[in-house]
Amino acid sequence: MHKPMRMTPTVLAVVMALFCCSGVAFAEGGGQKIDPCALLAKAEIQAVVGQNVGGGALNTKANVTAGALCEYKVGDFGAFSMLVKTTGPGETADRTMTELNKMKIATSEVPGLGDRSFFSSPGYGMIQLNTFKGPNYLIITIMVSGATETAQKTQAEILMRKALAKI
């Protein structure tokens, strides 16, 4: 018969400490959290979109596990936001694109931006630029009243390049 393995309190404490420490590093990606409002200045966004932009504010009601979200008002009816989060286990551009496509949300690759980037179009005139860089996943959501889809994609790409230069 096999005897059950017994852990001494010291061994159990060491195992739990290692588990907890690795969990914290894993959850935080082993690095500092990035403030999405510090990545782009209001003036930078305004210069690119060509409309008045209200000051960015961190959305404190957003689910923190989904990432930190900074929101700006563009013109009278537009919006701009920057979401930054640490990628989770198995969270990749391919998997994200597959899930969006399953929900009938169109995606298209953006070569040469971050480690991997793609646009998604969730509807209502919004464009999202999803970028994976190292352990970070950034999403710019842009809706500029009167701007074409092509113009908004160009604006999002310019702004993402500026943001990535700061991380």
Side-chain angles (χ1 to χ4, degrees):
M1 290 233 148
H2 296 297
K3 291 184 180 182
M5 187 172 106
R6 298 186 75 191
M7 294 185 143
T8 65
T10 304
V11 171
L12 184 58
V14 169
V15 169
M16 289 303 291
L18 287 172
F19 178 74
C20 289
C21 289
S22 65
V24 168
F26 183 71
E28 294 180 359
Q32 290 181 295
K33 292 193 182 267
I34 298 170
D35 176 1
C37 292
L39 294 177
L40 294 168
K42 172 181 123 168
E44 289 176 297
I45 299 167
Q46 190 166 301
V48 172
V49 301
Q51 294 188 23
N52 289 331
V53 175
L58 199 59
N59 183 332
T60 57
K61 295 179 183 175
N63 181 348
V64 293
T65 59
L69 179 66
C70 188
E71 300 173 316
Y72 302 80
K73 183 177 181 197
V74 176
D76 292 329
F77 304 106
F80 178 90
S81 68
M82 169 69 76
L83 179 122
V84 180
K85 66 175 280 201
T86 302
T87 55
E91 189 172 17
T92 64
D94 285 333
R95 185 173 180 184
T96 304
M97 289 176 75
T98 298
E99 291 304 315
L100 288 169
N101 290 329
K102 283 181 187 176
M103 294 185 289
K104 307 282 190 240
I105 296 174
T107 60
S108 60
E109 293 279 345
V110 180
L113 186 60
D115 297 333
R116 183 96 184 271
S117 292
F118 64 92
F119 284 112
S120 60
S121 301
Y124 303 102
M126 287 184 287
I127 301 295
Q128 289 185 318
L129 177 53
N130 299 260
T131 298
F132 289 79
K133 181 169 180 175
N136 301 304
Y137 178 21
L138 296 84
I139 302 173
I140 283 179
T141 303
I142 188 168
M143 185 174 71
V144 178
S145 184
T148 66
E149 180 179 330
T150 301
Q152 289 183 93
K153 285 182 174 182
T154 300
Q155 294 164 352
E157 195 170 338
I158 290 167
L159 291 166
M160 183 64 82
R161 287 185 193 286
K162 289 177 179 287
L164 290 174
K166 295 178 184 174
I167 58 173

